Amino acid sequence: MTNGYKDRMQRKKVHIDARIQEANIDKGIIVLLTGNGKGKSSSALGMVCRALGYELQVAIVKFLKGTQATGEDAFLAKQENVRIISMNTGFTWDTQNQEFDKKMALETWQQAEQYLKDKAINLVVLDELTYMINYKYLDEQVILNTLNARPKNQHVVITGRAASEGLIKIADTVSKIADTKHAFRSNIRAQKGIDL
Ligand code: ATP
Ligand code: MG
């Protein structure tokens, strides 16, 4: 029994070690976090923490911003190596002005483009970008071209529900987070440190 287990584990280790040896490429990757479940933006912020731990330079562009201040905004404001810009229009169902939202989306994208050209920025987070494409505020092809032309070691994390086919295709890593359960449906309001 015990030996069988040991043998299996040894074979597994040989296989895993060989796979690790094979994966020897370093390059900037695109991580796409989509789906209806909770955990997209907070996962992006987890990668921001990792990057800042190595003193990498980070840019965060938020394409939708609620009116509520968040814990991460307060925390990141104190960090040296991160710059954050937000499309300060609030949620689109609050503003209800499509032309204005479109204009703000374009202005925000122009700032994102600057980061996506800047070799000094190691990680760019494009939070809630998927909606800008789905609402047709921004042109998908323009975004894909800019992503393709970015510095070759620059990482990008994109979040938002219902990612377009083009984004899924261009991304190196895609996680679709499923909404199995959410506390909100039990009338539990957004909690500090968890939801905001
Ligand atoms: P988070 O920022 O918590 O990682 P997210 O980025 O995956 O969430 P968004 O769609 O951007 O999800 O929504 C952000 C806010 O809405 C958070 O407060 C989150 O807890 C809440 N939320 C996310 N998914 C759901 C859901 N399925 N039902 C209700 N509320 C949700
Ligand atoms: Mg989010």
Side-chain angles (χ1 to χ4, degrees):
M1 267 301 259
T2 323
N3 271 348
Y5 176 80
K6 200 175 174 197
D7 287 350
R8 274 204 313 282
M9 285 303 141
Q10 246 161 15
R11 281 199 301 277
K12 200 181 178 105
K13 182 170 160 42
V14 168
H15 175 71
I16 291 170
D17 286 352
R19 277 299 296 126
I20 292 172
Q21 285 283 313
E22 272 168 21
N24 58 6
I25 300 167
D26 280 322
K27 80 183 271 285
I29 66 164
I30 299 176
V31 178
L32 174 61
L33 303 167
T34 191
N36 292 336
K38 171 185 161 54
K40 299 173 292 291
S41 299
S42 44
S43 168
L45 291 163
M47 285 176 265
V48 166
C49 274
R50 288 179 170 173
L52 292 177
Y54 292 110
E55 291 179 3
L56 298 179
Q57 294 294 326
V58 176
I60 302 173
V61 183
K62 295 189 176 190
F63 283 92
L64 283 179
K65 193 181 189 309
T67 38
Q68 207 154 29
T70 62
E72 69 263 22
D73 287 338
F75 174 76
L76 291 169
K78 296 180 210 153
Q79 305 299 313
E80 262 181 36
N81 296 334
V82 59
R83 62 281 293 141
I84 308 180
I85 66 143
S86 310
M87 188 172 129
N88 276 319
T89 52
F91 287 111
T92 185
W93 46 91
D94 286 335
T95 66
Q96 296 165 3
N97 181 339
Q98 197 185 11
E99 275 319 299
F100 179 71
D101 283 351
K102 203 166 174 173
K103 183 170 166 280
M104 295 309 282
L106 261 173
E107 277 179 21
T108 310
W109 171 249
Q110 280 159 5
Q111 183 62 63
E113 275 181 325
Q114 295 309 308
Y115 296 138
L116 292 164
K117 281 180 192 160
D118 186 346
K119 280 195 186 115
I121 308 281
N122 305 105
L123 169 63
V124 180
V125 175
L126 304 172
D127 194 39
E128 321 297 350
L129 176 70
T130 60
Y131 304 99
M132 301 299 105
I133 296 171
N134 298 346
Y135 298 162
K136 303 213 177 331
Y137 291 173
L138 298 175
D139 183 72
E140 185 188 45
Q141 200 52 54
V142 170
I143 291 172
L144 298 179
N145 292 346
T146 306
L147 288 170
N148 271 326
R150 77 190 193 282
K152 80 178 195 344
N153 291 318
Q154 187 182 72
H155 301 300
V156 178
V157 180
I158 299 169
T159 81
R161 295 181 189 201
S164 62
E165 276 308 309
L167 285 179
I168 292 172
K169 217 165 170 183
I170 202 177
D172 299 278
T173 296
V174 180
S175 294
K176 202 167 180 181
I177 300 175
D179 178 22
T180 305
K181 237 181 170 185
H182 196 288
F184 187 67
R185 289 201 288 283
S186 304
N187 289 338
I188 301 168
R189 70 175 93 179
Q191 297 293 302
K192 281 184 181 169
I194 299 295
D195 299 296
L196 70 156

